[in-house]
Amino acid sequence: MTNGAETRVRQSRAKILAAAEDVFLRHGFLGANMDAVADVAGVSKQTVYAHGKSKEALFIQVVESMTGDAAEDIGEDEEDDFAGVTAGQFFLDAGTQQLLVVMTPRLMRLRRLVIGEVERFPELGHSLYENGVKRSVARYARAVEHFDRIGELRCDDHAAAANHFNWLLMGAPTNSAMFLGDAGIPSNNALEAHAQESVRIFLAAFRSAS
């Protein structure tokens, strides 16, 4: 395949995934169909099937793409540079970034959709967990290990401390958005304030006495 052909295939796939995301988030899995995806994408149904094979396969692609993109936006796969950064500043910056990326109508609708379909597509719940909670906790665990090693934090179980921070940070805003819909998503100012309070509580529990 030539470079030009490869580029067209990538562009076509991106267009179809964007259209499928729109259709699935608006109508749910059962209410969506490939004709609607083709209409939104402005391509033939045959082209949609060429990329997605089936509605089920296309749904899985959409979920994996959205969760992967969110993880990339947060920077969870990158090695953090802790040089010259205090524990408080790291967790405040990382926590605020996570909230502002995740707490959006788009990703909260995806979360509700995946939870609603987890019995039909258990692999989607696994994907959401692997690309969401697991990556976040792993990143925070690396940070806890670093700040424990240099004496700024003190804890025996780095992963447990990271998990505590992640749920301090995400628990209340996520519950609000899940049960109340888009209207339950806090404002950016409220999310920033919540991140500050989460860090304060976390440091009160784990900051070194020295």
Side-chain angles (χ1 to χ4, degrees), residues 20-88:
E21 176 188 320
D22 177 64
V23 171
F24 283 124
L25 293 186
R26 281 194 292 117
H27 300 292
F29 176 77
L30 291 178
N33 60 66
M34 300 295 256
D35 288 316
V37 174
D39 287 342
V40 173
V43 299
S44 69
K45 188 163 68 171
Q46 288 73 20
T47 300
V48 174
Y49 274 108
H51 287 273
K53 307 302 180 186
S54 67
K55 186 172 80 165
E56 290 80 2
L58 188 58
F59 184 47
I60 292 169
Q61 288 180 30
V62 167
V63 172
E64 292 179 344
S65 174
M66 291 179 69
T67 55
D69 287 348
E72 185 176 336
D73 288 343
I74 296 170
E76 290 172 337
D77 289 334
E78 300 173 6
E79 286 297 323
D80 290 294
D81 183 3
F82 300 112
V85 179
T86 65

Side-chain angles (χ1 to χ4, degrees), residues 17-199:
L17 280 178
E21 176 188 320
D22 177 64
V23 171
F24 283 124
L25 293 186
R26 281 194 292 117
H27 300 292
F29 176 77
L30 291 178
N33 60 66
M34 300 295 256
D35 288 316
V37 174
D39 287 342
V40 173
V43 299
S44 69
K45 188 163 68 171
Q46 288 73 20
T47 300
V48 174
Y49 274 108
H51 287 273
K53 307 302 180 186
S54 67
K55 186 172 80 165
E56 290 80 2
L58 188 58
F59 184 47
I60 292 169
Q61 288 180 30
V62 167
V63 172
E64 292 179 344
S65 174
M66 291 179 69
T67 55
D69 287 348
E72 185 176 336
D73 288 343
I74 296 170
E76 290 172 337
D77 289 334
E78 300 173 6
E79 286 297 323
D80 290 294
D81 183 3
F82 300 112
V85 179
T86 65
Q89 192 60 56
F90 171 81
F91 283 100
L92 180 60
D93 289 347
T96 301
Q97 181 188 34
Q98 181 177 340
L99 284 171
L100 294 178
V101 169
V102 174
M103 298 305 303
T104 62
R106 176 174 174 261
L107 288 178
M108 288 298 102
R109 290 171 192 166
L110 174 70
R111 187 184 184 93
R112 294 185 211 108
L113 181 58
V114 169
I115 290 173
E117 297 292 343
V118 75
E119 294 298 325
R120 191 195 316 267
F121 301 105
E123 67 270 31
L124 294 184
H126 180 79
S127 177
L128 195 61
Y129 179 81
E130 290 287 324
N131 286 307
V133 175
K134 187 174 181 178
R135 285 187 179 183
S136 297
V137 171
R139 182 189 189 192
Y140 293 137
R142 292 192 297 269
V144 172
E145 191 277 333
H146 165 77
F147 291 112
D148 184 19
R149 187 173 65 251
I150 68 173
E152 194 171 344
L153 298 180
R154 280 290 176 265
C155 68
D156 296 325
D157 190 330
H158 301 149
N163 198 51
H164 289 316
F165 178 71
N166 190 65
W167 288 109
L168 272 173
L169 183 74
M170 300 302 299
T174 300
N175 277 342
S176 177
M178 291 299 290
F179 290 116
L180 303 178
D182 292 352
I185 298 176
S187 67
N188 285 357
N189 286 341
L191 291 173
E192 291 169 0
H194 177 70
Q196 291 179 334
E197 183 65 2
S198 298
V199 172

